[in-house]
Amino acid sequence: MQVLAKSSKMIPVMLMGSLVYGIRYTIPEYLCTFLVAGGVSTFALLKTSSKTISKLAHPNAPLGYGLCFLNLAFDGFTNATQDSLKA
């Protein structure tokens, strides 16, 4: 899950840039972002077997997902702020 979340890191960056700083992205940038995230997700989900899933530990999945979401939100804000400062 962490690999999938980090591979789609561009989505929260673009979302935060649009919402917080009013940055306009082009259609090819959106398309590239969703193609990369979709490709990595498809590859990772198709390669996962039921044997692998049964071996994974699930001690506190909601906490893990919450922390992953928080990490993506902070990454998005930080990167959008850096892009704004560079511009």
Side-chain angles (χ1 to χ4, degrees):
M1 178 64 188
Q2 182 184 8
V3 172
L4 292 177
K6 292 305 266 183
S7 69
S8 61
K9 178 181 165 183
M10 295 179 289
I11 294 172
V13 169
M14 292 177 84
L15 184 66
M16 288 295 221
S18 296
L19 294 176
V20 176
Y21 294 105
I23 298 171
R24 298 263 183 198
Y25 297 101
T26 63
I27 299 289
E29 288 175 322
Y30 283 116
L31 184 64
C32 181
T33 297
F34 286 108
L35 283 175
V36 168
V40 171
S41 298
T42 303
F43 179 76
L45 292 175
L46 290 177
K47 289 291 188 178
T48 306
S49 68
S50 60
K51 184 187 266 188
T52 304
I53 292 173
S54 67
K55 289 183 179 181
L56 295 175
H58 300 286
N60 198 348
L63 176 64
Y65 291 135
L67 290 173
C68 192
F69 176 77
L70 197 61
N71 180 19
L72 286 175
F74 283 134
D75 271 350
F77 184 74
T78 302
N79 288 345
T81 302
Q82 289 173 345
D83 290 346
S84 176
L85 289 173
K86 271 200 281 187

